[in-house]
């Protein structure tokens, strides 16, 4: 759906900003289209499995990306 595409773009951009900049979470939220930091934190946690602050601190190779989980589901849904 259109919302899923928007969320995927927002998620990838947010992850990039969190890892490559020192912008506060509030500024990252605004940069990806959230007017409310709490809404962004909740959405990011749903997409990635951890909040934006934790994501920034961790070894991100161990956290599956939003796209990875959807790709696996989409591949399993393909007809044989």
């Amino acid at each position: 759906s259109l919302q899923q595409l928007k969320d995927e773009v927002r998620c990838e951009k947010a992850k990039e900003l969190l890892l490559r900049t020192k912008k506060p979470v509030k500024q990252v939220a605004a940069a990806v289209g959230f007017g409310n930091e709490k809404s962004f934190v909740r959405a990011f946690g749903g997409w990635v499995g951890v909040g934006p602050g934790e994501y920034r601190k961790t070894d991100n190779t161990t956290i599956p990306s939003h796209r990875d989980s959807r790709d696996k589901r989409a591949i399993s849904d393909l007809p044989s």
Side-chain angles (χ1 to χ4, degrees):
S1 75
L2 180 58
Q3 186 61 50
Q4 288 174 322
L5 291 172
K6 285 172 55 177
D7 287 346
E8 184 173 332
V9 170
R10 286 173 154 183
C11 178
E12 294 302 317
K13 181 66 174 176
K15 290 194 297 186
E16 180 182 333
L17 290 170
L18 289 166
L19 295 178
R20 295 181 184 218
T21 73
K22 294 185 186 231
K23 289 183 178 190
V25 171
K26 186 172 187 172
Q27 287 182 8
V28 173
V32 297
F34 282 84
N36 181 301
E37 182 180 358
K38 285 185 179 184
S39 296
F40 169 70
V41 169
R42 189 169 38 252
F44 190 87
W47 297 332
V48 180
V50 296
E54 187 68 19
Y55 180 82
R56 185 176 256 167
K57 291 180 207 171
T58 60
D59 170 9
N60 298 300
T61 60
T62 63
I63 299 173
S65 74
H66 182 59
R67 187 183 329 164
D68 289 344
S69 63
R70 285 219 306 240
D71 285 349
K72 289 175 188 163
R73 190 171 55 234
I75 290 168
S76 66
D77 292 342
L78 291 175
S80 302

